[in-house]
Amino acid sequence: LLTLRPAPGLEERITTTVIARQDEFERAAMPHARSLLRVARRLAADGSAAEDLVQETLLRAWRSFHQFQSGTNTRAWLFRILFNAFYAHGRKLRSAPVLVPLPTPGGGAESDTAPTISPLEATAILRALGELSAEHGSVLLLVVVEGFTCREAAEILALPIGTVMSRLSRARGALRDRLEGGPHNLRAARAGTEYLEKEAS
Amino acid sequence: VNCQEVVHLAPLYLSGEIDATRAAAMDAHLQTCPSCLHELEQQALQDSRLREAVHSEVADDATVIRRLRESIAECKGHQARRRILSGLRRRWVAVVGAAAMLLLLAGGSWLFRAPQIAEVCADAANDHRTEIVNKEPRPWLTVPAQIAALAERQGISGGAVVTLAPGNYHLDRARLCYLDRHVFLHLVYSDGAKEVSLFLRARSGSQQNPSGTEEEGTPVGRPDVNHAHLASFETARLTAVVVSGESPDAALQFAQSVSAAL
């Protein structure tokens, strides 16, 4: 009397729904795959680990995409998942080998504008970035490289905005130390620390 | 603002998040403080170089996207199957729930339905055979006053049940019993040699005559059960069954006298 068969048309309706969801996901999330990969390469041990990290990020995003509310910041949402996945894996050894292409006719780098730094300089900067702690590297990547505001970075990293600001100041100083070969701007560092301590008290 | 605050607010200033009032204050300070101006310019320049360096890296996302689409395709199959199974489960839950509800309703109506006279008569005949003919031991009330009190508690006139005895009979004993899952008062009248059983139950007002075929209050003879002769009647207030071993007429006459008295 009672057979275990789906209702007529149920399979078709579900398939249609899932396909529509994938289309929406492709439109919303896939354009950010490259910037996710760019940041992941700075976080993960190597290119393969970075691809795995982005793959996991996007797959997690797909699985919870039905909960995603359109109109919210997709990019920030994806980066939040990326950092969650990164921290969930115990902050794998970072960072990736520096792979700066030699300049070729027609370009190859992602920037639309003409490069103002040499490949050698880019290599030095990336190496210095790789030497920073994960906390400092993360805020630099999010705010400076990816253009998130401090407030967005704070949400992505689940940190107070004050922490992001102080980390950003220290990360900039630490990067400059490495690029210039020594402690820079001790006055600024000292002044910043004193100010933060005063605010905290 | 002073130099310390400029250092602290530099991240918000460079990311454009600072409010207009503070931005104006910082601009004013930078115009008068070459050291802070230089520091912010250096930070901005370094940011620009960092951005350019990271963007100069090759970030080929084609492999990631291809692998992701494969994973999603696999995931979609799981999701579709899960949703179909979920739909089936919901349907089964609905079907089982409806069946349970029907059973509950059927069970409830069976449990709470009024006694059916045919069932009552069959059970009365069995009780009479077991307790009266075969004389299996049962606790009985034999004191007329106690029997009258028991009858009163069942909503039946206590004085009447004592005086109902036909001819040379007298009320011998009484007890409560279950007929068709309902409590009846079982009265036994005796002439010293023969015994006749009268089963009585006061009916609630909402219970209708279940048989629906008998004229209300008129005793009728019923088919014999196990050599026992039966007669019964039902009124709005009472269900009565007489079981006699003597004859069908004796059973019917007794039922008629009970009907007249009650």
Side-chain angles (χ1 to χ4, degrees):
Chain A
L1 290 175
L2 295 171
T3 54
L4 196 65
R5 274 202 306 268
L10 177 65
E11 282 182 85
E12 290 77 6
R13 284 203 305 278
I14 289 173
T15 306
T16 308
T17 306
V18 173
I19 287 172
R21 194 156 72 86
Q22 187 184 357
D23 287 345
E24 197 182 342
F25 181 75
E26 292 252 356
R27 278 195 301 275
M30 293 301 198
H32 304 297
R34 186 162 295 190
S35 58
L36 288 168
L37 187 59
R38 193 164 49 221
V39 170
R41 285 186 64 81
R42 298 290 100 220
L43 294 171
D46 52 40
S48 174
E51 287 183 358
D52 288 346
L53 184 58
V54 175
Q55 164 91 6
E56 184 180 342
T57 298
L58 290 171
L59 205 54
R60 282 190 190 189
W62 160 253
R63 287 188 179 128
S64 55
F65 191 58
H66 61 285
Q67 297 171 337
F68 179 76
Q69 294 180 347
S70 59
T72 52
N73 189 337
T74 312
R75 194 157 169 266
W77 177 61
L78 290 171
F79 272 90
R80 187 157 56 243
I81 298 173
L82 177 82
F83 276 91
N84 284 341
F86 172 66
Y87 286 116
H89 287 299
R91 305 177 189 184
K92 289 174 183 173
L93 285 176
R94 46 184 298 271
S95 62
V98 177
L99 296 173
V100 180
L102 291 172
T104 55
E110 295 177 17
S111 176
D112 293 335
T113 57
T116 59
I117 59 172
S118 67
L120 199 62
E121 198 178 357
T123 304
I125 292 171
L126 293 176
R127 186 167 292 124
L129 177 64
E131 288 171 2
L132 298 182
S133 66
E135 287 76 15
H136 287 172
S138 298
V139 291
L140 279 178
L141 286 166
L142 287 174
V143 177
V144 176
V145 176
E146 296 301 328
F148 286 109
T149 62
C150 291
R151 201 169 300 281
E152 288 171 333
E155 287 176 9
I156 290 168
L157 297 171
L159 291 171
I161 188 169
T163 305
V164 170
M165 287 166 63
S166 60
R167 279 188 187 178
L168 197 53
S169 291
R170 292 196 187 99
R172 280 177 169 134
L175 185 66
R176 198 188 304 180
D177 284 348
R178 281 161 180 77
L179 291 173
E180 294 179 354
H184 92 286
N185 203 358
L186 290 174
R187 178 187 67 84
R190 193 163 45 246
T193 307
E194 285 169 3
Y195 183 85
L196 290 171
E197 285 171 353
K198 185 179 160 193
E199 277 226 325
S201 66
Chain B
V1 295
N2 56 32
C3 295
Q4 287 183 352
E5 289 170 316
V6 167
V7 171
H8 175 65
L9 295 171
L12 295 179
Y13 184 78
L14 291 172
S15 65
E17 292 175 83
I18 198 166
D19 60 80
T21 310
R22 281 183 169 186
M26 277 193 73
D27 288 339
H29 178 83
L30 293 174
Q31 282 177 359
T32 60
C33 183
S35 175
C36 284
L37 180 63
H38 176 73
E39 175 63 24
L40 279 188
E41 284 176 346
Q42 287 300 305
Q43 282 192 10
L45 180 63
Q46 181 181 275
D47 285 355
S48 170
R49 292 165 67 208
L50 172 62
R51 198 159 34 243
E52 194 175 331
V54 175
H55 280 258
S56 70
E57 272 198 302
V58 178
D60 183 8
D61 59 357
T63 308
V64 172
I65 290 177
R66 179 181 52 74
R67 282 171 53 199
L68 178 70
R69 285 183 177 140
E70 288 170 3
S71 299
I72 285 178
E74 194 179 334
C75 197
K76 276 195 307 188
H78 287 309
Q79 283 181 335
R81 277 194 293 279
R82 204 163 51 237
R83 291 180 68 172
I84 288 169
L85 283 174
S86 166
L88 288 173
R89 267 198 300 273
R90 276 198 298 273
R91 290 175 67 199
W92 271 101
V93 166
V95 167
V96 170
M101 186 63 74
L102 283 173
L103 280 173
L104 198 64
L105 287 172
S109 61
W110 182 79
L111 279 172
F112 296 108
R113 69 180 169 82
Q116 303 296 297
I117 192 66
E119 299 295 327
V120 169
C121 289
D123 288 351
N126 285 334
D127 265 21
H128 179 83
R129 181 176 184 81
T130 305
E131 297 171 1
I132 309 303
V133 177
N134 295 337
K135 299 189 184 303
E136 288 191 9
R138 294 284 190 276
W140 293 95
L141 290 181
T142 54
V143 179
Q146 291 178 337
I147 295 173
L150 179 65
E152 291 288 345
R153 287 198 294 275
Q154 300 306 308
I156 299 163
S157 167
V161 296
V162 177
T163 58
L164 279 176
N168 298 325
Y169 286 73
H170 65 275
L171 178 59
D172 186 68
R173 58 194 185 274
R175 67 188 298 267
L176 295 179
C177 65
Y178 280 94
L179 305 182
D180 193 24
R181 304 176 327 282
H182 291 80
V183 176
F184 277 72
L185 178 63
H186 184 180
L187 302 162
V188 180
Y189 297 90
S190 172
D191 66 352
K194 299 185 290 293
E195 291 182 324
V196 59
S197 289
L198 172 61
F199 296 89
L200 294 175
R201 174 180 169 79
R203 301 177 67 193
S204 66
S206 61
Q207 290 179 353
Q208 301 300 312
N209 185 342
S211 64
T213 55
E214 296 167 12
E215 190 178 342
E216 189 176 285
T218 305
V220 292
R222 307 196 69 86
D224 293 353
V225 178
N226 291 331
H227 309 293
H229 312 291
L230 289 97
S232 70
F233 67 89
E234 288 182 289
T235 67
R237 297 187 304 104
L238 196 70
T239 298
V241 177
V242 173
V243 184
S244 168
E246 191 178 345
S247 69
D249 286 343
L252 184 59
Q253 284 174 11
F254 185 27
Q256 287 167 341
S257 67
V258 171
S259 175
L262 294 177

